[in-house]
Amino acid sequence: PFFAVRNVVRDLQAYFDFSEADAYHAAKNYGKAIKLMAKNDVKWQQYQALGGTSSGMIANGKSYAARFDADDSASGKIKKAAQKTGEMAGKILEKPGEITEQIPRFAEYLNALEKYGDTPEGRRKAILASADVTVNFSRGGSTSKAIGKAVPYFNAQVQGLDKLVRQ
């Protein structure tokens, strides 16, 4: 529970720190994002269709299951049972985490649409801005992603540091 609350607070802070919008518009579009997501609005569907939900931790953390090899030994069977239990627990916890992770990203998408316009080029800029408003977990080179398979959250740490340096 603390992890989830901490992530919401951290993502909200990052959103206001790194948003292209001023505080008023950022706050307005944060609330608007929640409403549009709840209604499954056309803008929310557009954001998803453009790949907006693929830059978060939930979407990119699924490779951790690949660390379990196809071992049929007793210890391999225990690993597989633990993996299935973890996957079931993950599915229960995944949706709330996915939603709270997407609110600031979708809000930034709305901010950028206001700035660049709802045109193909404006939507392209908006989807890029939304991916980078908090830590973009889909970024990273092959080396850091390979290390990330063995060291949980390695790429997240690298991307967080990269974002700090770029700002």
Side-chain angles (χ1 to χ4, degrees):
F2 287 121
F3 180 74
V5 171
R6 204 173 66 209
N7 274 355
V8 170
V9 171
R10 185 180 13 230
D11 284 349
L12 184 62
Q13 180 182 1
Y15 169 68
F16 279 99
D17 286 345
F18 301 122
S19 177
E20 293 182 8
D22 59 60
Y24 170 78
H25 287 95
K28 178 188 78 147
N29 280 329
Y30 194 88
K32 185 177 179 180
I34 293 169
K35 290 178 189 172
L36 295 179
M37 288 169 71
K39 291 194 303 186
N40 196 26
D41 186 83
V42 173
K43 289 282 185 216
W44 170 241
Q45 292 174 25
Q46 178 187 70
Y47 168 80
Q48 293 176 89
L50 291 170
T53 56
S54 64
S55 57
M57 182 61 169
I58 302 297
N60 286 286
K62 293 181 180 173
S63 64
Y64 290 114
R67 290 183 292 176
F68 294 96
D69 34 77
D71 185 358
D72 284 335
S73 68
S75 64
K77 289 178 182 177
I78 292 170
K79 284 181 184 177
K80 287 179 187 174
Q83 179 184 7
K84 285 187 180 188
T85 303
E87 286 173 359
M88 288 186 337
K91 286 181 181 178
I92 292 167
L93 299 172
E94 186 175 281
K95 198 63 176 171
E98 208 171 278
I99 291 168
T100 59
E101 194 173 270
Q102 289 306 317
I103 294 169
R105 294 181 190 279
F106 182 49
E108 186 63 10
Y109 177 78
L110 298 172
N111 290 330
L113 281 181
E114 288 179 2
K115 181 177 180 179
Y116 301 116
D118 194 357
T119 65
E121 180 62 15
R123 288 189 291 273
R124 186 188 70 76
K125 289 179 178 181
I127 206 71
L128 292 173
S130 72
D132 208 36
V133 75
T134 62
V135 175
N136 184 348
F137 296 99
S138 66
R139 289 189 60 176
S142 57
T143 303
S144 74
K145 287 188 178 184
I147 293 170
K149 288 181 180 179
V151 180
Y153 305 106
F154 177 78
N155 191 47
Q157 294 173 27
V158 170
Q159 295 311 317
L161 183 59
D162 174 68
K163 179 148 187 67
L164 185 64
V165 170
R166 285 186 292 124
Q167 299 300 325

